[in-house]
């Protein structure tokens, strides 16, 4: 039996605490399943920064943001996208464990290397090794979440008899994203392979949601790679996205049905460029629910 599609949404880049508060609480009351948000820690004005996204927009640090969302909700899954190489594996493991414990096990963590090389460099990481670093970080975090004490010596990380305490009560799902603006959000082959080998699921990068055929092709290729690596594609999550502000209302139902037929486990309403404030965005969520609720 096919599992029901889990529909959630992005948290728009609101500038005030009150707008965040009102939106998050309305989001959960409307029955949406997961709330996703990304981060920039030190947004650097890189040459390839997209012109449509002002770098001075309000970007919140992901774990702090997650703690705020956890405190305001009781049911919704908290799904931050974390630029993992900007942190040590131990610190990220600790922060994730704390969010998961305080939220009652509602954390689904998505990690990526980040597309902004200048930001990575500004925070002390080497852009040239960030992919290899991320793989080690995920391995070490999973060990820290399960082992009473850990000694680990890898290529880029060393830990001597250290622990995360308290540890999560169950494994924290670790999903991955990938892609950049120049490539339309399509992850490079090495990134697809990394996801297929070690991730619990895939979160679509924003630009890819604008090209449905390309998005469907990425999911197909990713499932083939998952199977190639001896894993069950049915256990691998896929979070697709709908560009809610760019897609006419009369196309919403068809797009939901397309991703449901494609086997997506999660569907995220992408409205990060929210215009009109919290009230306008809540009205949009309400309208989407009215038109599509029978599908999820």
């Amino acid at each position: 039996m096919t599992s029901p599609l889990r529909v959630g949404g992005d948290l728009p880049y609101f500038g005030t605490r009150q707008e965040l508060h009102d939106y998050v609480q309305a989001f959960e009351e409307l029955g949406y399943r997961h709330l996703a948000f990304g981060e920039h820690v030190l947004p650097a004005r890189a040459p390839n920064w997209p012109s449509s996204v002002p770098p001075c927009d309000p970007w919140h640090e992901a774990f702090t943001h997650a703690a705020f969302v956890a405190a305001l909700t009781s049911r919704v899954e908290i799904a931050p996208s974390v630029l993992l190489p900007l942190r040590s594996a131990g610190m990220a493991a600790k922060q994730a464990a704390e969010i998961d414990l305080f939220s009652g096990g509602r954390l689904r963590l998505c990690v990526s290397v980040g597309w902004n090389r200048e930001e990575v460099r500004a925070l002390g990481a080497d852009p040239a090794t960030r992919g290899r670093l991320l793989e080690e970080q995920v391995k070490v975090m999973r060990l820290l979440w399960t082992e009473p004490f850990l000694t680990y010596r890898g290529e880029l990380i060393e830990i001597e008899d250290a622990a995360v305490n308290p540890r999560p009560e169950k494994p924290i799902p670790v999903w991955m994203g990938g892609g950049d603006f120049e490539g339309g959000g399509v992850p490079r082959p090495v990134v697809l392979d990394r996801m297929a080998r070690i991730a619990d699921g895939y979160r679509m990068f924003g630009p890819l949601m604008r090209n449905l055929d390309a998005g469907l092709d990425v999911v197909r290729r990713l499932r083939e790679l998952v199977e190639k690596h001896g894993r069950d594609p049915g256990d691998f999550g896929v979070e697709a996205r709908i560009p809610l502000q760019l897609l006419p209302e009369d196309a919403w139902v068809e797009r939901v049905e397309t991703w449901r037929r494609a086997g997506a486990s999660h569907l995220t309403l992408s409205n990060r460029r929210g215009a009109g404030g919290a009230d306008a965005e809540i009205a949009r969520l309400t309208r989407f629910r009215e038109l599509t609720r029978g599908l999820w």
Side-chain angles (χ1 to χ4, degrees):
M1 180 178 178
T2 303
S3 298
L5 184 64
R6 297 172 64 94
V7 176
D10 287 330
L11 183 53
Y13 297 141
F14 295 126
T16 69
R17 179 189 181 281
Q18 192 61 50
E19 283 186 302
L20 285 168
H21 174 281
D22 294 347
Y23 184 88
V24 167
Q25 293 201 325
F27 185 91
E28 183 169 75
E29 290 169 4
L30 285 167
Y32 287 97
R33 302 294 298 277
H34 61 272
L35 192 53
F37 42 93
E39 70 168 356
H40 281 289
V41 178
L42 288 179
R45 287 187 289 188
N48 60 339
W49 189 285
S51 60
S52 61
V53 184
C56 57
D57 271 7
W59 303 91
H60 298 291
E61 189 276 328
F63 285 119
T64 309
H65 210 176
F68 181 77
V69 172
L72 291 177
T73 57
S74 60
R75 300 182 305 277
V76 70
E77 183 181 61
I78 303 162
S81 290
V82 171
L83 303 177
L84 196 55
L86 306 187
R87 303 162 172 85
S88 70
M91 180 60 76
K94 178 65 173 180
Q95 290 175 303
E98 295 286 280
I99 297 296
D100 194 61
L101 286 164
F102 286 132
S103 69
R106 291 187 284 131
L107 177 66
R108 174 167 56 94
L109 183 65
C110 182
V111 301
S112 68
V113 300
W115 60 267
N116 190 327
R117 297 173 66 89
E118 285 75 12
E119 179 179 19
V120 172
R121 189 178 291 109
L123 285 157
D126 182 356
T129 62
R130 56 189 168 161
R132 301 201 307 276
L133 176 60
L134 181 138
E135 290 203 28
E136 274 200 60
Q137 287 177 306
V138 170
K139 180 179 180 180
V140 167
M141 289 167 62
R142 285 170 168 161
L143 290 170
L144 286 168
W145 290 332
T146 56
E147 299 290 332
F149 281 89
L150 175 65
T151 294
Y152 175 89
R153 295 182 180 88
E155 178 192 359
L156 299 168
I157 300 173
E158 288 192 8
I159 293 177
E160 185 72 30
D161 208 21
V164 164
N165 189 26
R167 296 186 298 279
E169 296 179 359
K170 59 178 178 56
I172 295 174
V174 179
W175 290 38
M176 289 186 179
D180 54 32
F181 289 97
E182 291 91 338
V186 176
R188 292 181 297 120
V190 66
V191 178
L192 285 174
D193 189 73
R194 179 187 303 135
M195 293 180 196
R197 285 187 288 108
I198 66 174
D200 295 311
Y202 161 62
R203 172 174 293 169
M204 182 177 291
F205 185 40
L208 187 55
M209 68 184 171
R210 298 168 180 259
N211 188 334
L212 179 60
D213 289 339
L216 291 167
D217 183 62
V218 165
V219 170
R220 178 190 59 77
R221 291 162 56 200
L222 194 48
R223 287 198 172 115
E224 290 175 353
L225 285 168
V226 169
E227 189 168 18
K228 175 184 173 182
H229 286 293
R231 305 175 65 195
D232 184 352
D235 295 333
F236 187 86
V238 171
E239 181 179 334
R241 297 172 75 176
I242 291 182
L244 202 58
Q245 293 163 298
L246 304 178
L247 202 64
E249 280 191 11
D250 58 9
W252 287 353
V253 168
E254 181 182 359
R255 187 62 59 91
V256 174
E257 289 179 332
T258 296
W259 280 116
R260 189 171 65 164
R261 288 194 303 268
S265 56
H266 296 64
L267 188 61
T268 294
L269 311 182
S270 186
N271 55 343
R272 288 183 178 172
R273 311 309 311 161
D279 289 344
E281 292 304 321
I282 292 167
R284 198 196 312 271
L285 288 177
T286 303
R287 180 60 174 162
F288 184 89
R289 187 183 187 281
E290 290 171 353
L291 293 177
T292 68
R293 191 65 182 97
L295 300 174
W296 50 282

